[in-house]
Amino acid sequence: MLGAGTTEFRHGDYNAASQLFQQAITRDPSNATAYYDLGTVYQAENQIGPALREYRLALRNSPNLVPAIFNEATIESVHDVPLAVFLYREVISLQPSSPTAYLNLGLLEAQQGERALAGVDLRKAVQLDPSLRARIPRSVAPDLTLPSPKTTSASSST
């Protein structure tokens, strides 16, 4: 059912995907992936409350489900920045090679005026994925003196 729901989701049929994920939950109420997948449907439909509910149910069944934590952080970054910062740090503790988590965390830290922390996290994001440099606003990047991608790879040995 999850595979069929994912296929429907990818084709943009959120109603069919939602029904399939709900059926999977009915069959196995401890299926964290089904709750997570249902959350992604709600998030795609901009139904923030239901999306958060499903991500939290997924995490109740699988506390270290990184995609659910990441998506919850993404939603919370608009409404509750301190919680989003906490959640991105949790993602990084569970998956230290997550460049997008470092990027999002660094951008939130910069927004809060935490330039030193932002610099560390944004540099790490660029080190892990140099293409992310383009997603850092010019208003933040000069202040952080980000190394160029060439410099980053050379300095990664330290």
Side-chain angles (χ1 to χ4, degrees):
M1 250 182 260
L2 293 178
T6 300
T7 299
E8 295 299 337
F9 180 81
R10 286 187 185 140
H11 287 110
D13 190 345
Y14 298 148
N15 186 47
S18 176
Q19 288 177 7
L20 288 163
F21 296 143
Q22 288 172 355
Q23 287 174 18
I25 291 167
T26 299
R27 286 190 182 172
D28 180 6
S30 66
N31 188 331
T33 302
Y35 287 109
Y36 166 76
D37 288 343
L38 185 56
T40 63
V41 171
Y42 289 136
Q43 189 172 4
E45 294 178 320
N46 205 29
Q47 295 184 46
I48 301 309
L52 284 172
R53 181 188 68 235
E54 298 305 323
Y55 293 143
R56 290 173 183 155
L57 288 168
L59 291 167
R60 183 181 301 159
N61 290 290
S62 181
N64 295 331
L65 186 62
V66 170
I69 300 168
F70 184 92
N71 285 6
E72 184 178 353
T74 301
I75 291 171
E76 293 296 357
S77 69
V78 175
H79 307 287
D80 188 343
V81 172
L83 178 56
V85 166
F86 172 82
L87 292 168
Y88 282 126
R89 287 184 179 145
E90 176 127 356
V91 168
I92 290 166
S93 75
L94 294 168
Q95 193 172 16
S97 62
S98 177
T100 309
Y102 281 105
L103 173 73
N104 293 352
L105 175 59
L107 292 174
L108 287 176
E109 290 165 337
Q111 175 187 324
Q112 292 187 302
E114 298 286 344
R115 297 285 190 188
L117 289 172
V120 169
D121 291 322
L122 292 171
R123 280 189 288 278
K124 184 67 175 181
V126 171
Q127 178 186 19
L128 292 169
D129 182 352
S131 72
L132 292 179
R133 184 183 180 97
R135 294 181 49 194
I136 300 172
R138 293 181 194 271
S139 62
V140 174
D143 191 38
L144 300 173
T145 59
L146 289 170
S148 69
K150 288 181 184 175
T151 305
T152 301
S153 15
S155 67
S156 65
S157 62
T158 58

